[in-house]
Amino acid sequence: MSFLNNHSDGKKMVDKVFKAAIKAKEAKDKFGDDEVVDATLGTLFDEDGIFVAYDSVWGPYDQLDKVEKGRYARSIQGNPLYRDAVYKWLFGENEMPAEIIVSPGGAGAVSATMHNVLNPGDTVIKPSQGWGPYKTMANEFELKLDSYNLFKDGAFDIADFKDTLTKYMNIQGKVLAIINDPCHNPTGYTMSSDEWDQVLDFLNELSKQGPVVIINDIAYVDYSTDPSWKDHFLKYRNLAENVMIVITFSLSKTFTAYGARVGASVVVSSNKEELAKYKDAAIYSARSIWSTCNNSVMELFAKITTDETLYTNYINEKQYYIELLKERSRIFINECASEEIELYPFKEGFFATLKVVDDNEKEALNLRLQKSNIFTVEVDGGLRVALCSVPKRKLRGLARKIKKCM
Ligand SMILES: Cc1ncc(COP(=O)(O)O)c(C=O)c1O
């Protein structure tokens, strides 16, 4: 007998990131901060090991009226000013066939999409290296999960992407797949424009057999080193009627507003009727699961992105951290190359991942690293190093220390 239903009986959340972070904290308490490399947490820390909360975001937040902080949001779909601001943030002045629905972080948008697109028993497709909660979400909605192989010869494995999606189109007559780009978690890969063209051409072709939905998880988009990366979205205007892209946006990283829980599903399709139906379903899900989202941070995003001074302050502050991430990654990636440590293809972003395909070997290496006071996170096919949370002084020489444990 259980008070839980069949689906929920036995569910237990094991969060590898938080588990590893606790071990790192214990080591810091025991040996002192200087002796420990804590590369577990996917949040930005500065060179003094202090959590980064942007002055240019949280300063203006303090100026908001208390009523804005206390009141409900203006709409379940998201405050109109917020939706306009998100549209402009992603698409600029360009015309896009899009609907925007606010969500509690990017996580809310990813999970609502899985919930609304597939039927229980269907399979959602993720990259072979991917963010852990994709699995948790699929299970929560009684979906199965399969992966496309992410890399071949140092680049996006388009052949396996095509094979995997085609397989599920043949089985279930519909496909939902996740592409986490740019600044992929956990590898730091960003696909080239040409790789995206190949993907989109294929999606148009595949959609002749049935509906194709892609989650483009852009949680780290505002840390791309290419300032014109968002022009990429214009490619979505050329998609066939039977293709829908759900861009999952998040203020967690963009605004260092992880705890505020504000993001959005930005749904793009040239099929106007389906787009309207999708919006209605997403609003219904929102009301039934989390209701409304954080009013004050929606207003804050609109305020900062439309006020010239506030906007400039924010962009400058964020750019400082983009440069810092570049410097950190240059140190780590170059030293790994010198030590002949194999990493997954890296371009930019918060993370890099050591390639360790065998699970036993991966666990054993992680234990040896922990004994040397180096804390990483076990991910599919490797160990994730969070460059976002390790100062340069600790990254220098880290590759050599890792090599000694191999
Ligand atoms: C790949 C990826 N997607 C989505 C998210 C969503 O984060 P949040 O729900 O805080 O916006 C994260 C955060 O860690 C992430 O790493």
Side-chain angles (χ1 to χ4, degrees):
M1 182 281 186
S2 170
F3 292 115
L4 294 166
N5 64 24
N6 292 344
H7 170 60
S8 294
D9 196 3
K11 277 196 310 201
K12 190 168 165 63
M13 188 62 227
V14 182
D15 191 307
K16 285 188 178 162
V17 179
F18 288 104
K19 223 170 124 187
I22 288 169
K23 283 195 176 174
K25 170 142 191 344
E26 285 167 1
K28 282 185 247 180
D29 290 345
K30 195 166 167 192
F31 300 106
D33 187 76
D34 280 349
E35 300 305 312
V36 176
V37 178
D38 178 1
T40 58
L41 286 181
T43 44
L44 263 182
F45 284 82
D46 69 13
E47 290 293 284
D48 296 321
I50 310 283
F51 180 96
V52 177
Y54 290 152
D55 290 330
S56 57
V57 167
W58 298 109
Y61 180 81
D62 289 341
Q63 305 303 317
L64 290 181
D65 191 283
K66 66 180 182 190
V67 173
E68 290 300 334
K69 295 173 179 167
R71 60 167 286 171
Y72 278 125
R74 272 112 174 137
S75 135
I76 300 169
Q77 192 186 346
N79 294 2
L81 288 179
Y82 174 71
R83 285 188 269 130
D84 285 352
V86 171
Y87 184 99
K88 289 217 173 69
W89 191 245
L90 300 181
F91 307 138
E93 297 301 324
N94 296 297
E95 284 276 325
M96 291 287 291
E99 289 289 353
I100 296 179
I101 306 101
V102 69
S103 61
V110 174
S111 92
T113 307
M114 287 193 197
H115 181 54
N116 281 321
V117 169
L118 295 178
N119 292 315
D122 285 348
T123 297
V124 55
I125 304 165
K126 68 161 189 72
S128 51
Q129 279 67 44
W131 188 42
Y134 297 144
K135 228 179 267 182
T136 319
M137 291 172 186
N139 189 44
E140 180 69 359
F141 301 121
E142 302 185 52
L143 302 175
K144 294 182 202 129
L145 193 71
D146 202 351
S147 302
Y148 57 89
N149 184 49
L150 189 53
F151 299 116
K152 189 163 186 219
D153 303 329
F156 188 76
D157 187 351
I158 185 73
D160 199 68
F161 181 81
K162 287 182 181 178
D163 287 351
T164 311
L165 270 66
T166 304
K167 173 178 161 192
Y168 285 100
M169 181 57 87
N170 290 336
I171 295 172
Q172 59 197 35
K174 179 187 211 177
V175 155
L176 172 64
I178 303 168
I179 299 179
N180 173 207
D181 190 76
C183 312
H184 173 256
N185 176 8
T187 64
Y189 191 67
T190 291
M191 290 162 67
S192 68
S193 178
D194 183 50
E195 286 172 333
W196 265 108
D197 287 342
Q198 291 181 53
V199 164
L200 298 177
D201 285 349
F202 164 70
L203 298 181
N204 280 339
E205 200 51 41
L206 186 69
S207 75
K208 290 176 184 158
Q209 283 177 256
V212 174
V213 184
I214 297 293
I215 292 174
N216 178 195
D217 183 344
I218 58 159
Y220 299 87
V221 69
D222 288 301
Y223 294 86
S224 170
T225 53
D226 174 3
S228 62
W229 191 88
K230 288 175 186 164
D231 290 348
H232 160 83
F233 294 128
L234 300 181
K235 293 178 194 277
Y236 295 172
R237 295 196 290 198
N238 304 325
L239 291 170
E241 282 236 316
N242 224 7
V243 180
M244 178 176 273
I245 310 271
V246 184
I247 302 165
T248 55
F249 174 64
S250 165
L251 283 184
S252 296
K253 277 83 187 174
T254 293
F255 255 30
T256 61
Y258 316 87
R261 310 309 306 142
V262 179
S265 295
V266 181
V267 194
V268 182
S269 174
S270 58
N271 187 331
K272 289 204 176 70
E273 211 176 301
E274 283 294 315
L275 198 58
K277 271 170 54 186
Y278 191 96
K279 180 186 82 175
D280 288 343
I283 294 172
Y284 196 97
S285 288
R287 186 53 169 150
S288 64
I289 303 171
W290 58 75
S291 191
T292 53
C293 291
N294 186 310
N295 179 73
S296 55
V297 171
M298 278 195 270
E299 291 297 295
L300 183 70
F301 184 66
K303 191 173 169 191
I304 290 177
T305 54
T306 52
D307 177 300
E308 212 178 310
T309 310
L310 296 181
Y311 172 78
T312 307
N313 291 344
Y314 163 68
I315 290 295
N316 290 342
E317 189 173 11
K318 181 166 71 70
Q319 191 59 34
Y320 169 84
Y321 285 97
I322 293 179
E323 298 302 326
L324 180 62
L325 283 169
K326 267 198 230 171
E327 290 169 30
R328 288 180 183 174
S329 58
R330 211 174 291 133
I331 295 168
F332 185 65
I333 304 298
N334 287 345
E335 291 191 8
C336 282
S338 308
E339 296 293 337
E340 295 179 350
I341 293 172
E342 192 177 5
L343 298 172
Y344 284 98
F346 173 90
K347 296 262 169 72
E348 55 187 0
F350 275 38
F351 310 105
T353 292
L354 310 174
K355 187 170 179 179
V356 195
V357 177
D358 181 80
D359 277 347
N360 294 330
E361 207 183 305
K362 177 177 77 182
E363 275 173 38
L365 174 60
N366 201 22
L367 284 176
R368 290 197 295 278
L369 289 173
Q370 288 177 358
K371 283 207 176 107
S372 301
N373 278 339
I374 298 166
F375 293 86
T376 65
V377 173
E378 288 181 25
V379 294
D380 287 329
L383 295 174
R384 187 186 80 172
V385 177
L387 301 168
C388 54
S389 53
V390 184
K392 287 184 280 183
R393 65 175 193 285
K394 289 191 182 182
L395 287 169
R396 288 194 194 95
L398 178 60
R400 195 172 334 116
K401 289 184 198 155
I402 293 175
K403 185 72 180 185
K404 275 192 190 154
C405 297
M406 292 181 121

